[in-house]
Amino acid sequence: MSEEKVIEAEFQAQLMLRFGQLDYVRCWRQNAGGVTFERRGKVQRFRSGVPNGAADISGIVRPDGRRLEVEVKGPHGRLTKEQEAW
């Protein structure tokens, strides 16, 4: 794992801890991933989780139920077109 990814993951973890201390915020990590496999001689990819571009952290802010969406990037990270659209 690159140093930038480690910094991003550590910051994200700290941010989730801080949000967890706030009684008016409920948030969660949006996991996405995929697996590549071979079926009937063809290589296929199965994707699961949130759509491309979805923020790393999502949640709800009480009392009125506003959405919380936070994208975490390392020092040199750039938003993808899908993330900008999200």
Side-chain angles (χ1 to χ4, degrees):
M1 186 179 287
S2 73
E3 183 178 340
E4 185 168 330
K5 287 288 185 186
V6 170
I7 292 169
E8 182 179 321
E10 288 175 5
F11 180 75
Q12 197 173 83
Q14 291 298 316
L15 193 56
M16 291 290 294
L17 285 173
R18 179 64 180 121
F19 282 144
Q21 295 171 344
L22 304 172
D23 63 352
Y24 56 90
V25 174
R26 295 292 176 260
C27 68
W28 52 89
R29 169 87 173 87
Q30 302 226 84
N31 293 314
V35 62
T36 302
F37 61 96
E38 185 176 334
R39 181 176 178 196
R40 297 184 184 144
K42 287 184 168 182
V43 175
Q44 298 179 337
R45 177 133 175 99
F46 172 76
R47 247 186 77 69
S48 64
V50 297
N52 286 344
D56 295 321
I57 299 171
S58 186
I60 300 172
V61 180
R62 297 186 305 172
D64 55 354
R66 286 178 286 151
R67 291 288 301 180
L68 170 71
E69 299 285 336
V70 180
E71 178 63 32
V72 178
K73 292 289 182 197
H76 303 289
R78 301 242 189 279
L79 290 176
T80 65
K81 289 180 182 179
E82 291 92 353
Q83 289 169 332
E84 287 181 16
W86 186 265

